[in-house]
């Protein structure tokens, strides 16, 4: 069974609210770098960087982070295709907004934090996600959440993005 | 796609898709070499052993660096200083090392086919780092990565391999790999240094260098192996230089954007002119790409067969 939980307008509003929250809590956008986790965290990161930039009238640096080499399931699932990280600025002493689409077990975020630490020493790392679906396996939480979505483990949450060739939408798929 | 091969023994056994996956993985991994912390944890707990029966600087160092950057543990065994000197056989050496928990062997041996043999003896992965006159697949792949970075494609390129073809496992690996990806490969050298079986490989054979270089997009210059040249393959080094030495003058028949490769080590002023080597070649890029290609291979092999796209 497939159930849509967010459409394009709801996604836009959620990301706009998150962008405002980030600016409010960071007291501006001066020191921010927005980094999306490849590949599905890239569209929301790109949009957040653009929204923050628009609201504050500045250009917010945006980058992508590949975590293939930091995964904890390599011995079980094997080699996944590797992408390149592309972060245009030195993240040392910056406030990094790490972005992903769905927060679930927290393992991807653990890998991303390790990957970031190897690239520099940010002053702060905050986590922004479009969906938090619960079921954490690690002590990790998001600082900014577009929508909290209670799910069961047997369900899966699918987000499609215009940038990746779909319509903007969030759906829950259950057996 | 999944990478399901257990071993890398020669490029003739890889599909074009597998070659593309290795090259794409290497291109993205190269980013790691320019970072302040050149290490990622992915191969933590894996043991890699270089087992070398022949001398090597760049291949061995490059494999070891690649393994270390991915956090694998490395050990290296060479003939001098090991029990091989006490007469331990190749098979016994392999089994002994495998019993110590080696997950992947990188093997260089003077006998063609030695890596094949090793891959049947051990359950661990085997990467051929040069077996006799047969193959040197990682050299072939790093040459291909370098060509791809400069040309953006393989399809339709003219690549000329010049020099001592018969003693060169690099030449064979270039021919197999490049031809698989749709490039036209020409080999050129004195007829005494071109083995008769080359007409069965996917390449054209030339003895006239100017003809071979005509319209070339890339020229791969092989080392004249002085240690093998006492058997009268050509009259004098001077004559070889005159007929087959690569100089800027000779490169005029190639495409304007031709690139010059050399697997190293170089004999300056013999197979390649110093000016070409230092100012007009991509030799040092090849060395960097060597580390990237070897990282890609270690990552894909040790990830072992059940890769899923996530």
């Amino acid at each position: 069974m497939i159930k849509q939980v967010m459409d394009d307008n709801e996604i836009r509003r959620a990301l706009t609210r998150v962008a405002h929250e980030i600016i409010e809590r960071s007291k501006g956008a001066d020191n921010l770098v927005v980094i999306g986790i490849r590949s599905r965290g890239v569209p929301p990161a790109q949009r957040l960087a653009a929204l923050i930039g628009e609201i504050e009238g500045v250009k917010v640096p945006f980058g992508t982070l590949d975590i293939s080499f930091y995964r904890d399931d390599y011995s079980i699932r094997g080699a996944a295709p590797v992408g390149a990280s592309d972060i245009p600025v030195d993240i040392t002493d910056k406030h990094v907004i790490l972005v992903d689409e769905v927060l679930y077990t927290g393992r991807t975020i653990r890998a991303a934090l390790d990957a970031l630490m190897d690239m520099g020493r940010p002053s702060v790392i905050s986590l922004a996600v479009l969906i938090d679906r619960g079921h954490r396996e690690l002590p990790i939480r998001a600082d900014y959440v577009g929508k909290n979505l209670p799910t069961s483990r047997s369900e899966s949450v699918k987000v499609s993005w215009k940038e990746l060739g779909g319509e903007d939408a969030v759906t829950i798929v259950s057996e | 796609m999944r990478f399901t091969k257990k071993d890398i023994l020669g490029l003739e056994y890889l599909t074009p898709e597998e070659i593309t996956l290795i090259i794409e993985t290497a291109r993205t991994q190269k980013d790691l070499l320019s970072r302040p912390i050149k290490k990622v944890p992915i191969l933590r707990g894996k043991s890699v052993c270089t087992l070398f029966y022949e001398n090597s600087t760049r291949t061995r160092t490059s494999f070891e660096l690649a393994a270390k950057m991915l956090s694998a543990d490395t050990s290296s065994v060479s003939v001098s200083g090991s029990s091989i000197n006490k007469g331990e056989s190749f098979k016994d050496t392999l089994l002994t090392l495998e019993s110590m928990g080696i997950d992947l062997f990188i093997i260089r041996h003077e006998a063609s086919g030695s890596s094949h043999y090793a891959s049947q003896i051990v359950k661990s992965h085997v990467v051929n780092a040069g077996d006799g006159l047969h193959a040197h697949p990682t050299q072939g792949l790093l040459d291909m990565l370098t060509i791809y970075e400069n040309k953006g494609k393989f399809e339709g390129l003219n690549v000329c391999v010049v020099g001592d073809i018969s003693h060169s496992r690099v030449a064979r690996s270039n021919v197999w790999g490049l031809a698989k990806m749709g490039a036209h490969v020409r080999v050129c050298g004195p007829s005494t240094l071109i083995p008769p079986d080359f007409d069965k490989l996917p390449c054209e054979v030339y003895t006239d260098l100017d003809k071979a270089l005509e319209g070339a997009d890339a020229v791969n210059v092989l080392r004249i192996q002085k240690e093998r040249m006492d058997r009268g393959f050509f009259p004098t080094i001077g004559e070889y230089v005159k007929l087959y030495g690569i100089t800027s003058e000779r490169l005029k028949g190639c495409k304007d954007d031709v690139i010059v490769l050399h697997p190293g080590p170089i004999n300056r002023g013999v197979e390649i002119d110093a000016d070409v080597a230092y100012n007009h070649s991509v030799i040092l890029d090849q060395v960097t790409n060597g580390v990237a290609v070897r990282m890609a291979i270690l990552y894909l092999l040790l990830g072992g067969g059940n890769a899923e796209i996530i």
Side-chain angles (χ1 to χ4, degrees):
Chain A
M1 203 183 84
I2 299 172
K3 191 175 109 197
Q4 179 159 330
V5 288
M6 283 178 106
D7 62 16
D8 53 348
N9 276 321
E10 286 164 311
I11 290 176
R12 179 177 51 77
R13 287 184 204 118
L15 288 178
T16 309
R17 174 178 48 77
V18 168
H20 280 286
E21 283 176 10
I22 291 171
I23 297 164
E24 187 186 1
R25 268 192 254 168
S26 321
K27 300 185 171 60
D30 292 346
N31 205 31
L32 296 183
V33 184
V34 178
I35 294 176
I37 301 175
R38 276 179 58 100
S39 54
R40 305 207 58 93
V42 175
Q46 208 161 9
R47 292 192 201 179
L48 277 176
L51 284 166
I52 297 168
E54 234 170 79
I55 297 162
E56 286 294 287
V58 290
K59 192 163 166 34
V60 179
F62 155 76
T64 61
L65 183 69
D66 187 85
I67 56 143
S68 315
F69 293 145
Y70 294 86
R71 288 166 45 223
D72 60 5
D73 56 355
Y74 174 77
S75 315
I76 305 159
R77 298 180 62 178
V82 184
S85 294
D86 177 18
I87 297 173
V89 291
D90 181 3
I91 59 170
T92 298
D93 294 332
K94 296 280 186 200
H95 180 172
V96 172
I97 308 288
L98 186 63
V99 185
D100 205 358
E101 59 170 25
V102 178
L103 178 57
Y104 182 29
T105 60
R107 289 178 189 269
T108 302
I109 306 302
R110 196 282 307 160
L113 290 174
D114 283 351
L116 279 176
M117 292 305 183
D118 280 356
M119 291 181 170
R121 188 177 185 281
S123 60
V124 183
I125 301 177
S126 307
L127 176 61
V129 296
L130 178 66
I131 303 290
D132 182 350
R133 61 167 293 191
H135 305 291
R136 217 75 76 239
E137 293 169 4
L138 298 172
I140 280 171
R141 59 163 180 77
D143 300 280
Y144 306 97
V145 179
K147 188 180 179 66
N148 281 299
L149 199 59
T151 56
S152 81
R153 280 178 184 272
S154 64
E155 294 169 320
S156 64
V157 176
K158 305 261 183 235
V159 184
S160 56
W161 299 100
K162 273 193 208 113
E163 292 90 331
L164 301 176
E167 286 295 302
D168 281 1
V170 181
T171 50
I172 296 184
V173 183
S174 50
E175 301 290 297
Chain B
M1 81 162 270
R2 287 152 187 257
F3 196 85
T4 51
K5 291 275 187 310
K6 171 183 166 276
D7 313 297
I8 304 276
L9 304 176
L11 297 187
E12 61 268 45
Y13 315 114
L14 296 180
T15 64
E17 292 75 28
E18 286 166 337
I19 292 177
T20 306
L21 180 64
I22 294 171
I23 288 182
E24 285 303 325
T25 307
R27 284 181 71 198
T28 51
Q29 288 187 331
K30 218 179 139 177
D31 166 51
L32 185 62
L33 301 176
S34 55
R35 291 209 206 141
I37 299 177
K38 298 179 192 53
K39 204 176 190 75
V40 292
I42 193 73
L43 296 186
R44 221 153 26 105
K46 304 281 184 189
S47 294
V48 169
C49 175
T50 55
L51 175 57
F52 274 48
Y53 286 76
E54 282 182 5
N55 299 334
S56 162
T57 306
R58 69 206 73 221
T59 304
R60 184 174 205 143
T61 313
S62 161
F63 265 115
E64 285 180 4
L65 274 175
K68 284 174 179 160
M69 284 178 189
L70 298 177
S71 297
D73 295 309
T74 59
S75 39
S76 65
V77 178
S78 34
V79 176
S80 62
S82 72
S83 285
I84 297 163
N85 262 352
K86 299 183 195 161
E88 186 169 49
S89 73
F90 185 46
K91 180 176 176 175
D92 289 344
T93 304
L94 284 166
L95 291 172
T96 304
L97 292 167
E98 188 179 39
S99 303
M100 293 181 191
I102 299 294
D103 297 301
L104 184 144
F105 286 99
I106 295 153
I107 299 175
R108 172 168 286 189
H109 196 287
E110 66 274 11
S112 304
S114 48
S115 287
H116 269 97
Y117 175 71
S119 72
Q120 289 159 11
I121 301 290
V122 294
K123 290 185 195 73
S124 320
H125 303 278
V126 172
V127 178
N128 182 0
D131 61 332
L133 306 180
H134 169 236
H136 190 354
T138 56
Q139 179 71 43
L141 287 165
L142 75 88
D143 290 343
M144 291 173 72
L145 172 58
T146 311
I147 292 171
Y148 189 82
E149 279 184 338
N150 281 278
K151 305 293 171 188
K153 59 169 186 177
F154 293 113
E155 195 70 44
L157 290 182
N158 289 311
V159 181
C160 183
V161 183
V162 183
D164 177 1
I165 308 297
S166 65
H167 297 105
S168 176
R169 47 199 177 209
V170 180
R172 282 177 181 75
S173 288
N174 264 265
V175 169
W176 282 115
L178 286 162
K180 270 207 176 164
M181 302 308 289
H184 305 295
V185 189
R186 306 161 178 175
V187 299
C188 177
S191 53
T192 47
L193 289 175
I194 294 180
D197 67 336
F198 254 68
D199 52 11
K200 297 190 189 76
L201 298 189
C203 65
E204 291 168 55
V205 178
Y206 289 81
T207 49
D208 180 335
L209 183 63
D210 290 322
K211 281 193 189 135
L213 289 179
E214 208 175 293
D217 296 280
V219 182
N220 199 350
V221 189
L222 303 175
R223 181 170 70 97
I224 284 299
Q225 306 180 32
K226 285 183 180 153
E227 64 271 26
R228 304 197 210 248
M229 285 309 130
D230 49 6
R231 280 173 256 161
F233 293 112
F234 45 79
T236 62
I237 292 277
E239 185 171 323
Y240 183 85
V241 175
K242 198 164 157 228
L243 289 172
Y244 296 101
I246 297 293
T247 60
S248 336
E249 191 57 35
R250 292 214 90 132
L251 291 172
K252 282 184 179 151
C254 304
K255 294 239 175 82
D256 291 340
D257 60 350
V258 66
I259 57 166
V260 179
L261 301 94
H262 190 300
I266 314 174
N267 294 312
R268 259 172 298 164
V270 182
E271 69 268 4
I272 189 164
D273 181 62
D275 173 54
V276 177
Y278 289 118
N279 303 322
H280 304 286
S281 81
V282 290
I283 295 173
L284 295 177
D285 297 334
Q286 285 175 272
V287 178
T288 309
N289 285 342
V291 181
V293 156
R294 287 162 185 134
M295 284 202 291
I297 283 177
L298 295 177
Y299 173 71
L300 292 170
L301 280 184
L302 287 166
N306 46 357
E308 277 177 52
I309 296 199
I310 48 166

